[in-house]
């Protein structure tokens, strides 16, 4: 079953209207949890990206269906699939809880899995730049989410740099290193980042396959940054 079908089923099970917190904590139980551990995080991950993107849209002053359209465009969701995701958007807009509560719940739910939390941030950046630009209010919002997730300003800066257009980003920021790093250490660091960014790695830690575009984008940004540094050093 696709993540949208699972999301719809979970929403039905929890009568999601006004109960996003219950949906966010949804996960398989018993033998299914043991046999499909990655699915423990798929619905919560998807709900988190939907809910936080709806909150992000409000932070940017955007109302109505704009956040739904941005999500649909960013992740190529069909109209039929969007019907299954839209109720969660609507509940997020009605829910009085603030984004800090959701962010903190995610940290607890994912047991501090920083890579998975970073995947959530990448998903939100992917939506934020659906209109070709990450606006200042969106960046501020994402910075606050990152802080709640436990990322330092330097770590957030590195994540943000991956989503800037190539001619506006510092390749060292993209890789999260300083210019003084040696060539061998730089290569090891780069290869480690790329290894963690394979689609299979994201899926293994609970990112639904429908979201693996963020893995593709991340690897492209990392590779472009690494090549830019090598070119600079060989000049």
């Amino acid at each position: 079953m696709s993540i949208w079908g699972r999301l719809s089923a979970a929403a039905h099970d929890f009568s999601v209207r006004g109960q996003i917190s219950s949906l966010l904590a949804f996960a398989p139980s018993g033998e299914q949890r043991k046999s499909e551990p990655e699915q423990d995080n798929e619905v919560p991950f998807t709900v988190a990206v939907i809910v936080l993107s709806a909150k992000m849209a409000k932070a940017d002053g955007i109302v109505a269906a704009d956040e739904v359209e941005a999500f649909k465009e960013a992740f190529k969701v069909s109209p039929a699939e969007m019907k299954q995701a839209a109720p969660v958007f609507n509940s997020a807009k009605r829910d009085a809880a603030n984004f800090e509560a959701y962010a903190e719940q995610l940290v607890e739910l994912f047991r501090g899995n920083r890579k998975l939390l970073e995947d959530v941030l990448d998903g939100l950046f992917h939506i934020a730049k659906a209109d070709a630009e990450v606006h200042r209010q969106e960046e501020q919002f994402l910075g606050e989410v990152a802080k709640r997730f436990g990322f330092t300003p330097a770590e957030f800066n590195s994540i943000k740099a991956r989503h800037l257009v190539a001619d506006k980003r510092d390749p060292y920021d993209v890789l999260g290193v300083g210019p003084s790093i040696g060539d061998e250490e730089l290569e090891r660091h780069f290869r480690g980042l790329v290894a963690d960014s394979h689609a299979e790695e994201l899926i293994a830690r609970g990112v639904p396959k429908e979201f693996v575009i963020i893995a593709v984008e991340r690897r492209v940004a990392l590779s472009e940054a690494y090549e830019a540094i090598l070119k600079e050093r060989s000049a």
Side-chain angles (χ1 to χ4, degrees), residues 12 26 31 57 65 72 83-84 96 113 116 120 152 160 179-181 184 186 189 216:
H12 181 268
F26 174 83
E31 290 305 310
K72 184 167 65 175
K83 287 182 180 179
Q84 298 174 314
N113 185 330
L116 192 53
V120 172
T152 66
K160 179 184 72 175
S180 63
I181 189 171
E184 291 185 4
L186 174 66
H189 179 75
V216 175

Side-chain angles (χ1 to χ4, degrees), residues 81-123:
E81 292 169 331
M82 202 64 224
K83 287 182 180 179
Q84 298 174 314
V88 182
F89 273 102
N90 295 331
S91 294
K93 288 188 289 186
R94 287 194 301 266
D95 201 313
N98 55 32
F99 77 88
E100 293 92 345
Y102 291 119
E104 290 167 2
Q105 187 177 357
L106 268 185
V107 173
E108 181 177 353
L109 180 65
F110 292 159
R111 296 174 290 281
N113 185 330
R114 289 170 61 82
K115 290 180 181 177
L116 192 53
L117 293 169
E118 185 175 345
D119 295 334
V120 172
L121 283 172
D122 271 332

Side-chain angles (χ1 to χ4, degrees), residues 8-178:
S8 180
H12 181 268
D13 288 346
F14 282 103
S15 301
V16 73
R17 294 184 180 85
Q19 297 183 42
I20 288 291
S21 293
S22 295
L23 221 181
L24 189 60
F26 174 83
S29 58
E31 290 305 310
Q32 186 179 9
R33 176 182 293 272
K34 295 177 182 177
S35 62
E36 303 177 281
E38 73 282 356
Q39 288 200 1
D40 290 1
N41 293 325
E42 286 186 353
V43 167
F45 179 95
T46 306
V47 172
V49 173
I50 291 176
V51 169
L52 290 174
S53 65
K55 301 294 184 183
M56 178 170 63
K58 287 199 167 188
D60 196 30
I62 302 173
V63 295
D66 286 359
E67 62 268 29
V68 180
E69 290 303 313
F71 183 91
K72 184 167 65 175
E73 172 63 23
F75 292 107
K76 311 303 179 192
V77 185
S78 72
E81 292 169 331
M82 202 64 224
K83 287 182 180 179
Q84 298 174 314
V88 182
F89 273 102
N90 295 331
S91 294
K93 288 188 289 186
R94 287 194 301 266
D95 201 313
N98 55 32
F99 77 88
E100 293 92 345
Y102 291 119
E104 290 167 2
Q105 187 177 357
L106 268 185
V107 173
E108 181 177 353
L109 180 65
F110 292 159
R111 296 174 290 281
N113 185 330
R114 289 170 61 82
K115 290 180 181 177
L116 192 53
L117 293 169
E118 185 175 345
D119 295 334
V120 172
L121 283 172
D122 271 332
L124 294 173
F125 266 110
H126 185 68
I127 295 168
K129 66 183 183 185
D131 59 356
E133 181 182 2
V134 178
H135 299 285
R136 182 175 58 84
Q137 296 95 325
E138 292 171 327
E139 182 181 324
Q140 291 175 341
F141 174 86
L142 291 169
E144 288 300 317
V145 172
K147 185 187 299 184
R148 297 285 172 171
F149 283 175
F151 291 102
T152 66
E155 289 171 329
F156 174 71
N157 187 56
S158 180
I159 296 169
K160 179 184 72 175
R162 297 200 294 258
H163 296 276
L164 299 176
V165 294
D167 62 353
K168 290 187 177 180
R169 63 191 181 204
D170 184 324
Y172 289 99
D173 286 343
V174 173
L175 298 181
V177 296

